[in-house]
Amino acid sequence: MGIGTGNAALPFLKAGGRVIGVELTPAMAQKGTGRLAEEGFAGRALYTIAPAERAPIGGEAADAAVCRNVFHHFADPRAVFAEMARTVRPGGHLFVIDFFDPEDEAEREILNRVEFLRVPSHVRTLALSEFRAMYESSGLRLLDPMTSTSRTRFADWMKETNPAPGDYSRILGDMERLRSAGGGWWDVEGEGDEMYFTRKRVILTGRKD
């Protein structure tokens, strides 16, 4: 779901599999189709333009469903997850890779405001308990989640999206407040553009029995 330029598809294609990518944006689908064709996978990678909540894929038709770095853009992540589970055959797997935020709702609100100001398509980064609940409610057997962290320089993070000056100032102010409060979930340190912070990512794998 939300296949974009096809990064999530590459491991499956290189292993000899076939991929149906669901993408909402025609321009991104065109870019991804061209990219995968250039890498020699034109015959085994098909893009379809549709909302992730209504994938044009038959029930239990896929060996696996994958969503990488997109869940925080979904207005209804539970609906997307249910759709992914619907498409996977018994014995198949469902993979979600994304950032995750703290269980504390007040801190999560600050972090999501920062993310939205930086990328307006951002909706909400989920807590790990919310991801777990989606697997459990869909009847999937969840394997132990794999977590990782990445340390980022504030100025480099801003350059990726170039937010408007007013939004830049608001983001900077929120980050400085997190730092002054002890760093918070993102462990913010430093001054101005030289602030550094840590993001947490999780890989969740579930088996459909």
Side-chain angles (χ1 to χ4, degrees):
M1 302 294 184
I3 189 173
T5 59
N7 287 332
L10 285 173
F12 300 92
L13 293 168
K14 289 178 179 178
R18 299 174 64 86
V19 170
I20 300 175
V22 179
E23 173 58 45
L24 183 62
T25 309
M28 187 65 76
Q30 184 176 15
K31 186 175 181 180
T33 299
R35 180 260 181 103
L36 294 179
E38 288 176 1
E39 299 201 26
F41 302 118
R44 292 192 282 114
L46 172 67
Y47 271 72
T48 179
I49 299 172
E53 300 88 342
R54 297 189 298 277
I57 301 172
E60 301 184 352
D63 293 321
V66 183
C67 188
R68 179 176 179 267
N69 297 341
V70 189
F71 252 78
H72 55 275
H73 292 293
F74 294 141
D76 191 349
R78 283 183 173 273
V80 175
F81 192 91
E83 185 70 344
M84 293 173 68
R86 178 190 67 80
T87 66
V88 175
R89 64 169 177 78
H93 292 82
L94 196 155
F95 303 92
V96 173
I97 304 99
D98 208 344
F99 295 107
F100 67 102
D101 269 354
E103 300 296 329
D104 182 79
E105 192 171 328
E107 185 172 8
R108 222 167 44 232
E109 184 178 346
I110 297 171
L111 300 179
N112 279 301
R113 180 172 67 234
V114 168
E115 294 274 25
F116 174 77
L117 289 169
R118 179 176 170 269
V119 180
S121 62
H122 177 88
V123 177
R124 186 170 68 91
T125 302
L126 303 182
L128 192 54
S129 63
E130 294 179 277
F131 282 117
R132 287 182 180 274
M134 287 190 290
Y135 277 86
E136 292 168 1
S137 64
S138 296
L140 288 110
R141 180 160 54 87
L142 179 62
L143 307 182
D144 288 339
M146 299 173 60
T147 60
S148 62
T149 61
S150 56
R151 196 74 173 156
T152 303
R153 177 174 173 261
F154 181 78
D156 297 333
W157 197 49
M158 291 297 100
K159 285 179 183 177
E160 292 175 6
T161 58
N162 292 316
D167 291 339
Y168 188 100
S169 297
R170 294 185 188 95
I171 295 169
L172 183 60
D174 277 336
M175 297 292 281
E176 289 174 339
R177 281 187 283 276
L178 289 170
R179 180 206 60 207
S180 298
W185 179 255
W186 282 0
D187 188 23
V188 183
E189 296 179 321
E191 296 286 342
D193 284 346
E194 294 304 314
M195 282 191 294
Y196 282 81
F197 61 100
T198 298
R199 311 266 330 265
K200 300 175 177 65
R201 190 189 304 270
V202 64
I203 300 175
L204 298 115
T205 303
R207 178 182 171 86
K208 188 173 184 180
D209 293 328

